[in-house]
Each structure stands twice: as C-alpha cells, then as structure tokens.
C-alpha cells in the first residue's frame, strides 16, 4: 500500500471505531432545534451531515482540517513562487497532517502515473458540438469514464463493506489524476481548434494543467496552484459537495457522484457565478463604453442590474458574513504579480461599490464578495477570456475536496442519506401551534 493510503487507513480505522461508539452511546443526544424558517429557506444552518475535510466559519471562512487559507499558504509545500500545491491540500484533507515536500512529490508522481484518459472519453467528447457548454462536456466526459470504476466492478463481484473505501480511494485517485486532461481537452477542442497539448510529467499537477491548457507562464502556473487549492472544498453543505455526498451515499461510484455534483456546480447561484461575474463586467464595460469605469458609473450600473430583478454575481453567500478569504487571497495574488490591469482595477472598484448597494436593499445577509468575484479577471489577464470554461477549472479543483470527503464517508461507514420532507399542510399546522 502507498504511504498516503496507509496513513489514511490507519487514521480512518481508529476514527471509525470511535464514531461507532459515539453513535451507540450518545446517538440520542439533542444538539439543535430547527425552525420553520430554516425548513422554508433551503435548510440554512441545519447541521445534518458529517464532513471531515473542511469546515466553514461565517467570519473566518474555510478551514481545511482546522487550517485557514492564510495558514495553509504558510504551511503547505509550495511552488517556486510560494503558492501552495493542491497535492499538499489533498494529503492534508485525507490525513489531517501537513505533508513534507517529498510526500507531495510522491503524490504528484502517483497522479501522473494514473492520468491516462481512456480513448472512449475523447471519442464521446468529440461527438459533441464544440460549442456545447464546457460544463456539459465535463460531466459527460466524467461519465464516459465510468466504465472504468473499480468500485463498481468490485461491488458487482461482492465487495465487503469494510473494503468500500479502498475501491473508492482507487477510483478517486484515478479521477483526480485524469480531470485536468479531460478539462484541457475540452478547452482546446472548444476554443483552440482541437489542437491538443500533451502532458509534461516533469511538472507538478497545477503547472502541467496550465501547460495542457496552453500556458507555460510561471505566474499563471502559480495562479493555478493557488486556484486549485482554494476552490477545492467548502465543507459539506454547499450544493456541489452535498450532491456528491448524497449520490455517493447510495453507493453510486465516484464517477457518477462527481458528475452529479458537477451539474450542481454548473448552476449560476453556485460555481457558474464565476462566468457570470466576468460576463456582467464585460456587459457593463460595453454599456458604459469605457474600460475604466468610475465608481459612480459602476454604482449606476449596479442599481440598474438590481432594478431589473437580477442578482449581482460574485456577491453574497449562504454562510459567509465577511469578505471571502478566497477573494482576498486572489486579490493579494493580483497585487503581487499584476501591474496595470484595467479589468482588475474594475474588480476592486466593484468591491467598494457593491456592498453598500446590497446593504441598502435591507434583505441581503452578506453584502461581501465571494470567491467568484475575482477569479475571472485573473484568468482574462493570463490569456483565458473564454469565460464559459471557468466553472470547469472550479470543477477540477472541487473534485479534490469532494472526492477526499467521499473516501472518508465510505471509510466511516456512512449510511444512505435520506432526510425528511414536509408538506405545506404540515407547515401551516406547525405555524398555528
Ligand atoms: C462558489 C459559490 O457558490 S459562492 C456563491 C456564488 N453565487 C453568486 O455569487 C450569485 C449571487 N449571490 C446570490 O444569489 C446569493 O447571495 C447566494 C445564492 C449566494 C446566497 O443566497 P442566500 O443565502 O439566499 O442569500 P440571502 O439570505 O442573503 O438572500 C436574501 C435576499 O437577498 C438577495 N441577494 C442575495 N445576494 C444577492 C446579490 N448578490 N445580488 C442581489 N440580491 C442578492 C437574495 O436573492 C434574496 O432575495 P429575495 O428575498 O428577494 O429572494
Ligand atoms: O459554501 C457554499 O455554499 C458555496 C461556496 O462558496 C462553495 O461551495 O465554494
């Protein structure tokens, strides 16, 4: 067994035993109350699942195994310019330990060794019109590889419950290794006349992904390391993670559950917001007729968007109540590496204008930017203006978190998820009580 798998197995076995005992001895303990308002507003704040890999604090933002974004930037092995490598985050999410540089290098090599994408995936993608939305291509590409599922095959042969995690680990590692190649293939067929670029296995996961997309710029490589790290996980309740968790709880294999979650990520209130942000900014620039709009001009455009009954993409959050540290870390990156970008200046002016405008509505719980408010402008700067592709990048990263969490779920023997629903009659009766 490889080191990561062995380390995980040791940790998971002891936690499994502990969790079983807690469930048996303290399973009846009441830990929360649920209001009618929560039931009627998308289950906000209801604690209803276990998720090992990260936890979201409304003010601090995401913590991966207890470490905030500024902390992981300090702690995890990094690329030459100091941005953390997503390989290290994956290791941390699975083991709770910060890996050494050697361990991260081993993981890079392991993923390179598993990264060959089966021909049928390319054949299926090539059969789609090139202008099929990249997220649609991505889920189809993932499903086209489903026949390779080790979990599915071993389950059909009669897999013991205690070995579920092992097969899910193998599928997850294979998927993570393949996702950048599938994503880059989609990008190049959609936007670069199908001129594909072979992987360079001398590079780390992120730099190789950047290379296959078509950029060997060292700053863009660093951005990819940061990007793939910070988008990976946002506890279990967000729509993509929860979908993966729900679907996997039926023992659908990681290919099926990840594809399901990617469809959730493709919604404009969730991961697709990153394309919506840049689209909205481009439309604003067109409408105002200037690439350097003033704050006053932006404020007028924001008000117009709100008056049309639309949301301001990239602002607001179901849990966060402060600026998203993922926004802030991208801003820091831009401050460090990018000089004189009108587009990025505009993103920062929007940051000054939108929160008071949303606050003035009196109903928005969080007027601050989320992760999606910044990412597009960085990608445009490095030569990737094709915004319909952006959510695929997010998806490659999100795969790391949700698949790591999925390995945990099977190792901890988590059951089928099946919460209770209620009808409006029940709600009316409760309201009268
Ligand atoms: C990776 C991610 O998924 S991060 C989120 C990405 N999504 C976006 O950026 C889209 C824009 N933002 C939004 O639509 C929301 O803020 C969400 C979906 C992220 C969170 O939704 P909620 O938890 O329901 O937010 P909240 O409780 O503050 O909503 C209250 C009201 O404010 C509105 N509101 C919230 N954010 C915004 C916004 N950015 N622009 C305009 N109105 C907003 C809601 O639509 C809702 O209006 P309603 O009562 O008329 O239906
Ligand atoms: O946490 C959420 O609901 C949405 C989000 O920011 C993410 O999934 O990254």
């Amino acid at each position: 067994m490889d080191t990561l798998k062995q380390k995980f197995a040791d940790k998971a076995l002891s936690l499994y035993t502990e969790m079983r005992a807690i469930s048996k001895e303290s399973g009846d303990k009441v830990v929360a109350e649920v209001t009618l308002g929560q039931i009627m507003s998308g289950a906000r704040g209801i604690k209803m699942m276990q998720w090992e890999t990260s936890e979201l604090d409304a003010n601090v933002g995401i913590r991966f195994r207890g470490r905030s974004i500024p902390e992981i930037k300090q702690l995890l092995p990094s690329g030459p310019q100091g941005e953390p490598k997503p390989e290290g985050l994956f290791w941390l999410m699975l083991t709770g330990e910060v890996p050494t540089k050697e361990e991260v290098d081993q993981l890079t090599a392991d993923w390179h060794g598993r990264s060959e994408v089966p021909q049928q995936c390319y054949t299926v993608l090539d059969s789609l019109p090139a202008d099929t939305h990249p997220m649609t291509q991505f889920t189809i590409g993932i499903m086209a590889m489903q026949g390779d599922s080790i979990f599915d095959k071993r389950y059909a042969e009669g897999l013991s419950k205690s070995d579920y995690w092992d097969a899910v680990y193998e599928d997850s590692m294979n998927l993570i290794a393949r996702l950048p190649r599938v994503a880059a293939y989609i990008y190049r067929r959609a936007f670069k006349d199908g001129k594909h670029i072979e992987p360079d296995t001398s590079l780390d996961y992120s730099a190789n992904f950047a290379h296959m997309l078509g950029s060997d710029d060292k700053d863009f490589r660093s951005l990819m390391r940061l990007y793939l790290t910070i988008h990976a996980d946002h506890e279990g309740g967000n729509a993509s993670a929860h979908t993966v968790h729900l679907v996997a709880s039926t023992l659908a294999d990681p290919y099926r559950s990840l594809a399901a979650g990617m469809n959730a990520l493709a919604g404009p209130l969730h991961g697709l917001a990153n394309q919506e942000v840049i689209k909205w900014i481009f439309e604003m620039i067109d409408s105002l007729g200037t690439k350097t709009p003033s704050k006053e001009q932006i404020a007028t455009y924001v008000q117009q968007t709100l008056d049309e009954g639309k949301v301001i993409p990239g602002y607001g959050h179901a849990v966060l109540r402060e600026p998203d540290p993922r926004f802030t870390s991208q801003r820091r990156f831009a401050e460090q590496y990018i000089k004189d970008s009108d587009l990025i200046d505009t993103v920062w002016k929007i940051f000054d204008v939108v929160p008071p405008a949303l606050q003035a509505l009196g109903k928005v719980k969080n007027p601050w930017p989320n992760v999606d408010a910044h990412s597009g402008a960085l990608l445009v700067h490095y030569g990737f203006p094709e915004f319909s592709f952006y959510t695929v990048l997010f998806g490659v990263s999100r795969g790391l978190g949700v698949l790591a969490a999925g390995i945990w779920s099977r190792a901890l023997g988590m059951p089928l998820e099946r919460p209770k629903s209620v009808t409006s009659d029940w709600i009316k009766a409760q309201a009268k009580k």
Side-chain angles (χ1 to χ4, degrees):
M1 217 186 264
D2 66 66
T3 329
L4 176 59
K5 196 171 180 183
Q6 186 62 59
K7 262 188 200 270
F8 174 77
D10 296 343
K11 306 250 168 184
L13 187 62
S14 73
L15 190 60
Y16 171 83
T17 313
E18 213 181 328
M19 287 294 116
R20 284 275 141 158
I22 290 177
S23 170
K24 201 165 160 220
E25 286 152 27
S26 312
D28 292 335
K29 200 166 238 179
V30 176
V31 290
E33 281 186 333
V34 175
T35 64
L36 276 186
Q38 286 177 298
I39 295 172
M40 295 170 74
S41 61
R44 292 289 179 287
I46 301 177
K47 296 186 174 73
M48 55 76 71
M49 76 177 93
Q50 187 182 341
W51 191 264
E52 285 306 292
T53 46
S54 69
E55 193 175 2
L56 185 60
D57 180 277
N59 302 308
V60 174
I62 196 65
R63 286 195 184 100
F64 304 99
R65 307 299 295 246
R67 272 88 166 190
S68 66
I69 288 195
E71 285 165 350
I72 58 158
K73 283 183 75 176
Q74 291 298 321
L75 287 169
L76 291 182
S78 57
Q81 292 173 309
E83 301 304 336
K85 288 189 181 172
E87 289 93 324
L89 180 71
F90 184 75
W91 189 288
L92 174 69
M93 289 189 291
L94 269 192
T95 65
E97 291 175 11
V98 174
T100 61
K101 184 189 170 307
E102 289 65 37
E103 286 169 333
V104 157
D105 290 346
Q106 261 173 38
L107 186 53
T108 305
D110 187 350
W111 285 346
H112 281 319
R114 295 169 183 262
S115 67
E116 194 64 40
V117 169
Q119 182 53 43
Q120 83 264 11
C121 175
Y122 297 134
T123 309
V124 168
L125 289 174
D126 285 340
S127 74
L128 297 169
D131 64 354
T132 306
H133 192 280
M135 276 307 275
T136 309
Q137 298 196 45
F138 195 47
T139 47
I140 290 174
I142 294 168
M143 284 309 294
M145 301 188 288
Q146 186 277 332
D148 282 7
S149 170
I150 292 166
F151 180 87
D152 225 33
K153 184 166 174 289
R154 289 178 60 191
Y155 191 86
E157 287 164 1
L159 186 64
S160 154
K161 276 185 180 179
S162 59
D163 292 330
Y164 286 173
W165 75 268
D166 185 303
V168 167
Y169 176 94
E170 292 303 324
D171 275 349
S172 300
M173 292 286 277
N174 290 344
L175 250 170
I176 288 168
R178 292 169 175 187
L179 289 178
R181 288 191 78 172
V182 175
Y185 192 86
I186 292 167
Y187 177 73
R188 305 283 313 174
R189 76 179 292 269
F191 303 111
K192 301 289 167 190
D193 298 324
K195 293 191 182 108
H196 298 292
I197 300 173
E198 283 302 300
D200 178 347
T201 55
S202 69
L203 300 172
D204 59 273
Y205 187 74
S206 314
N208 181 43
F209 186 23
H211 167 75
M212 290 187 290
L213 288 170
S215 172
D216 287 315
D217 180 306
K218 68 177 187 350
D219 293 354
F220 184 64
R221 287 178 177 176
S222 289
L223 176 67
M224 277 296 101
R225 291 185 189 104
L226 179 70
Y227 187 104
L228 295 178
T229 300
I230 63 177
H231 287 78
D233 207 32
H234 221 230
E235 72 172 25
N238 70 75
S240 50
H242 189 189
T243 305
V244 174
H245 181 76
L246 168 70
V247 174
S249 85
T250 70
L251 299 185
D253 64 63
Y255 293 83
R256 295 188 202 274
S257 58
L258 184 69
M262 290 302 104
N263 279 320
L265 194 70
L269 295 187
H270 190 23
L272 204 79
N274 61 9
Q275 86 165 45
E276 295 301 292
V277 166
I278 212 72
K279 186 166 162 256
W280 180 82
I281 297 178
F282 285 157
E283 283 167 2
M284 175 175 73
I285 288 170
D286 267 3
S287 148
L288 298 174
T290 170
K291 286 187 170 167
T292 53
S294 66
K295 286 188 192 173
E296 291 68 29
Q297 286 176 306
I298 294 173
T300 307
Y301 194 79
V302 165
Q303 198 51 52
Q304 191 182 314
T305 303
L306 293 172
D307 291 345
E308 286 167 2
K310 299 179 193 161
V311 296
I312 306 296
Y315 282 76
H317 200 272
V319 180
L320 287 168
R321 295 296 176 257
E322 292 284 340
D324 190 336
R326 298 173 298 178
F327 173 92
T328 312
S329 65
Q330 292 181 88
R331 181 170 179 152
R332 297 279 166 273
F333 183 94
E335 284 164 353
Q336 191 173 354
Y337 295 108
I338 300 172
K339 303 280 169 265
D340 305 323
S341 159
D342 289 341
L343 188 59
I344 287 169
D345 280 349
T346 302
V347 166
W348 297 348
K349 282 186 208 157
I350 293 170
F351 173 74
D352 293 333
V353 170
V354 168
L358 291 182
Q359 263 154 346
L361 295 177
K363 62 175 183 179
V364 180
K365 296 198 188 65
N366 173 40
W368 299 110
N370 59 57
V371 65
D372 295 323
H374 211 306
S375 49
L378 292 168
L379 295 167
V380 172
H381 175 81
Y382 287 110
F384 295 90
E386 303 91 352
F387 53 74
S388 64
F389 181 71
Y390 292 174
T391 311
V392 177
L393 290 177
F394 194 158
V396 171
S397 171
R398 186 52 50 103
L400 296 167
V402 296
L403 292 169
I407 301 168
W408 270 110
S409 300
R410 300 289 74 77
L412 296 179
M414 289 188 196
L416 178 78
E417 186 179 287
R418 201 329 186 161
K420 178 87 187 88
S421 65
V422 293
T423 63
S424 56
D425 284 341
W426 185 89
I427 293 176
K428 285 183 218 167
Q430 295 298 314
K432 278 198 198 122
K433 271 190 188 169

